[in-house]
Amino acid sequence: MSKTSQDVRLDQSISMPIGEANVSIIELLDKLDPNKLIKTVGDSIYFQVEDSMEYGFEEFNMLKSALPFSKTFPLTAVVIPAGNGLFTVASSNEYIDLKLDPNSTSTRIDSSKISSAIITIKIAVTNLPTLSPSNLKLTLNFPKMFTKFGGVTNQVSPPITTPTFGQSSDILISEFTMDNVSETGTPIGIKLEVKQGASPITISATSNIMVDISFKKIDFKALYGKFELNSKGSTLLTIPLQMLSTLPNGFHFADPKVELSVLSNIGFPLKFNIDYIRAYAKSNPSDYLSAVFIDGTNSKVETINKSPKPGQYIVNKLAQVNSTNGRTDLLFIKDPKPDNLDYKFSLQNVSDPTPSFIIPGMKLKANYKVQIPLQLKAGSQFELLNDTIQEAGKMITKLEKGSFFLNITNGIPGKITFSMKFLNSAGVPIVASINDSTYKIIPPKVKANGLIDKSELSKLQLIEVKLSESDIVKLKDAKNMVFTLLLDGKDENNANKLIYFDKSNFFKVKLGLFGKASTTL
């Protein structure tokens, strides 16, 4: 180049390449997501955390207040002759009181399906020295308890072996229904008979038979009637949002979503009160922001429908809490971002004229999902990328006059400011005016929904950075170039404009140099 022209024509097409950087939005987010909580569906990108919890209820105990039945049967004086028959000495229709108040406004049992019950019986006698337990037959009949076998309904009348006098014995009854147990208890028919034997049996006027009967255990499948919730306390569901703690300041999410579906096997409806939803930093829980619903309050009432039949869950999908219903766009406006979300709810009874039921193991299963689309409001501003082009300064050593050219393909929705700094071999920024300069990158055309018009992605932008003589002198010690992309979502013309990132977003920059040198570059 001993005869190099003194007139240099700056033409990017013949500029000397120095280096390039190419980054996609997925690569950027991977660096911000050590917990791998970023999800994608199609091209959409969103942060998501989901889990479930169970809310149990106190088991209903049919025998909590039940009273045992006890009665003394005075006998009429008689001598029962020897023989092979049965001689009735006493009979009565009674009730075993389960203490289920028929006047209660909260509980009424009309019928029940019982899987098993244990009845305890004790018989004692006075002044019957010639009567042995084997000669006494006790028959019990339950007019409101029924079994079904082969389509035939029968009253429960369990076979009973008379126990030793003064001792208790248990009788198991399985698979039956019981009606109207809330009236005055469950009715029971009692019949005492003496079996004739080889010798006469003498009963005196002072002879008595004492019968004690009680339910020792009742395991039910379902109780039908009227029921209400006893406990109305609140439950606090804390949802960790650690994925937000790694984000840089300046993310203003447009539409975070909180979804809750509640599965219920309960046979009566409930009010589901959202007492509040709050976002806060774990380190400072008193500094929180609350969801604000459409009516301007921080609470909301939903209904949990009852299960259609015992053993079946019904799914209740509650209304989604979002930027419209809850102003969730304001929950995460603070920096640093909240890393906890509290969802506090309580349950209340609902007036329901239709029959209801309860079963053992009643519960609510709450499945929650917090989904935050990577969709930002105007006003979001943060450092999108900080990267290095290695050995970018090696071409400047012999340079006398010239310019850098930035060849940019911008696939990022939003305005971007490009800045660069040259570093010496020790990694220290060189003091030069070029290191203080910023360059506006024209954003691609964005559609109304915030997504890029992909026909714009083939367009290139060319930025010329002219080097002053002072810069050239100072940059001769340069080694690497660090460049920064700052996304600025402010839009003076449209305050509601969205920045909607998707998987196709990328940014590519090529750095080239053209100029005059004292020797061959």
Side-chain angles (χ1 to χ4, degrees):
M1 295 182 65
S2 58
K3 296 184 179 180
T4 302
S5 171
Q6 297 299 310
D7 298 319
V8 178
R9 184 169 67 91
L10 300 182
D11 187 343
Q12 188 272 338
S13 64
I14 60 172
S15 64
M16 187 172 295
I18 293 178
E20 67 177 79
N22 189 358
V23 65
S24 72
I25 193 68
I26 294 297
E27 291 171 333
L28 294 176
L29 292 174
D30 281 344
K31 296 177 182 178
L32 299 175
D33 185 30
N35 300 305
K36 303 302 177 188
L37 295 171
I38 294 177
K39 311 293 182 184
T40 59
V41 174
D43 280 342
S44 298
I45 305 171
Y46 49 87
F47 297 97
Q48 180 170 299
V49 60
E50 55 186 324
D51 208 339
S52 61
M53 66 164 289
E54 289 191 355
Y55 186 88
F57 297 85
E58 180 183 358
E59 295 289 349
F60 186 86
N61 182 2
M62 291 185 70
L63 302 179
K64 184 177 182 179
S65 303
L67 297 177
F69 168 80
S70 183
K71 184 168 183 174
T72 297
F73 291 90
L75 305 184
T76 302
V78 65
V79 176
I80 300 173
N84 295 316
L86 290 171
F87 191 89
T88 300
V89 294
S91 64
S92 179
N93 293 319
E94 306 289 346
Y95 286 90
I96 297 179
D97 193 353
L98 299 179
K99 295 298 286 184
L100 297 171
D101 185 0
N103 298 315
S104 170
T105 59
S106 61
T107 301
R108 185 190 73 246
I109 301 178
D110 298 329
S111 64
S112 56
K113 288 184 178 180
I114 309 298
S115 55
S116 66
I118 296 177
I119 298 175
T120 297
I121 297 173
K122 184 170 75 172
I123 297 176
V125 298
T126 56
N127 298 324
L128 283 170
T130 58
L131 180 67
S132 67
S134 60
N135 286 103
L136 182 64
K137 180 182 179 183
L138 171 65
T139 301
L140 299 179
N141 182 55
F142 295 90
K144 296 294 183 179
M145 292 166 55
F146 305 96
T147 59
K148 277 190 176 182
F149 295 101
V152 178
T153 300
N154 298 292
Q155 288 186 2
V156 171
S157 183
I160 298 172
T161 299
T162 305
T164 300
F165 293 148
Q167 295 184 4
S168 299
S169 65
D170 293 339
I171 299 170
L172 174 66
I173 309 174
S174 299
E175 300 294 338
F176 62 93
T177 60
M178 185 159 55
D179 291 341
N180 300 323
V181 295
S182 289
E183 291 179 347
T184 51
T186 184
I188 180 173
I190 301 172
K191 187 177 183 180
L192 292 167
E193 296 172 293
V194 173
K195 299 176 184 178
Q196 293 173 295
S199 303
I201 298 173
T202 300
I203 298 176
S204 70
T206 58
S207 297
N208 296 290
I209 299 177
M210 288 77 72
V211 178
D212 294 329
I213 302 172
S214 62
F215 280 97
K216 183 177 181 179
K217 181 181 180 182
I218 297 180
D219 291 330
F220 65 90
K221 292 180 177 179
L223 305 179
Y224 299 89
K226 180 184 178 182
F227 305 94
E228 289 186 352
L229 180 70
N230 290 326
S231 174
K232 301 178 185 178
S234 294
T235 297
L236 181 62
L237 173 63
T238 297
I239 304 172
L241 300 175
Q242 66 268 30
M243 72 275 197
L244 301 184
S245 62
T246 60
L247 296 179
N249 292 347
F251 274 69
H252 294 171
F253 295 112
D255 193 22
K257 299 173 174 62
V258 182
E259 296 180 356
L260 191 71
S261 61
V262 180
L263 286 75
S264 172
N265 65 353
I266 302 170
F268 50 92
L270 292 169
K271 281 184 182 179
F272 186 95
N273 300 321
I274 302 175
D275 299 329
Y276 60 73
I277 298 176
R278 294 174 178 173
Y280 60 92
K282 210 167 27 176
S283 58
N284 189 14
S286 61
D287 185 20
Y288 58 81
L289 290 171
S290 299
V292 180
F293 295 98
I294 294 174
D295 61 359
T297 67
N298 301 124
S299 60
K300 194 173 187 296
V301 178
E302 300 270 3
T303 299
I304 303 298
N305 294 316
K306 63 184 179 182
S307 167
K309 61 181 180 181
Q312 182 173 324
Y313 279 92
I314 187 171
V315 179
N316 297 269
K317 191 169 183 178
L318 307 189
Q320 185 185 80
V321 182
N322 52 36
S323 58
T324 302
N325 179 37
R327 289 309 308 269
T328 56
D329 55 317
L330 302 180
L331 281 179
F332 305 102
I333 203 73
K334 288 185 177 181
D335 289 315
K337 288 289 174 274
D339 53 9
N340 264 5
L341 188 74
D342 277 355
Y343 192 123
K344 188 177 182 182
F345 66 88
S346 55
L347 302 172
Q348 287 184 316
N349 293 306
V350 176
S351 178
D352 181 26
T354 63
S356 55
F357 66 84
I358 61 174
I359 60 172
M362 291 190 304
K363 64 181 65 173
L364 298 178
K365 295 181 179 180
N367 298 317
Y368 67 82
K369 178 167 68 176
V370 178
Q371 189 178 84
I372 306 178
L374 200 56
Q375 184 177 9
L376 308 181
K377 295 166 62 174
S380 297
Q381 188 177 44
F382 55 91
E383 185 176 281
L384 186 66
L385 178 63
N386 187 293
D387 205 352
T388 301
I389 297 179
Q390 302 290 337
E391 304 295 335
K394 67 182 179 180
M395 299 296 181
I396 306 174
T397 307
K398 304 293 184 177
L399 189 68
E400 293 180 353
K401 184 178 181 181
S403 295
F404 285 119
F405 285 90
L406 303 174
N407 194 331
I408 293 171
T409 307
N410 181 19
I412 301 294
K415 295 186 295 183
I416 291 178
T417 301
F418 179 96
S419 62
M420 57 185 176
K421 289 184 182 296
F422 284 86
L423 312 178
N424 63 24
S425 58
V428 177
I430 292 171
V431 179
S433 61
I434 191 173
N435 278 359
D436 299 322
S437 301
T438 58
Y439 306 91
K440 297 295 183 181
I441 308 299
I442 300 172
K445 184 178 179 181
V446 176
K447 296 182 287 187
N449 62 3
L451 292 169
I452 286 178
D453 184 342
K454 295 187 179 179
S455 65
E456 296 274 304
L457 297 182
S458 60
K459 294 183 179 180
L460 302 179
Q461 297 180 48
L462 181 63
I463 296 177
E464 178 186 0
V465 182
K466 292 183 178 181
L467 297 173
S468 68
E469 291 182 6
S470 174
D471 282 337
I472 291 174
V473 172
K474 293 176 180 178
L475 293 179
K476 290 185 184 295
D477 294 329
K479 180 175 177 60
N480 300 327
M481 186 195 84
V482 175
F483 70 91
T484 302
L485 301 180
L486 180 69
L487 186 141
D488 188 348
K490 294 179 181 178
D491 191 325
E492 292 76 9
N493 299 319
N494 185 357
N496 297 317
K497 187 174 181 179
L498 300 179
I499 302 171
Y500 203 157
F501 290 99
D502 67 24
K503 287 168 60 177
S504 68
N505 298 148
F506 70 95
F507 186 89
K508 184 175 183 179
V509 58
K510 291 183 178 181
L511 177 66
L513 175 66
F514 186 81
K516 176 184 176 183
S518 57
T519 59
T520 303
L521 295 178

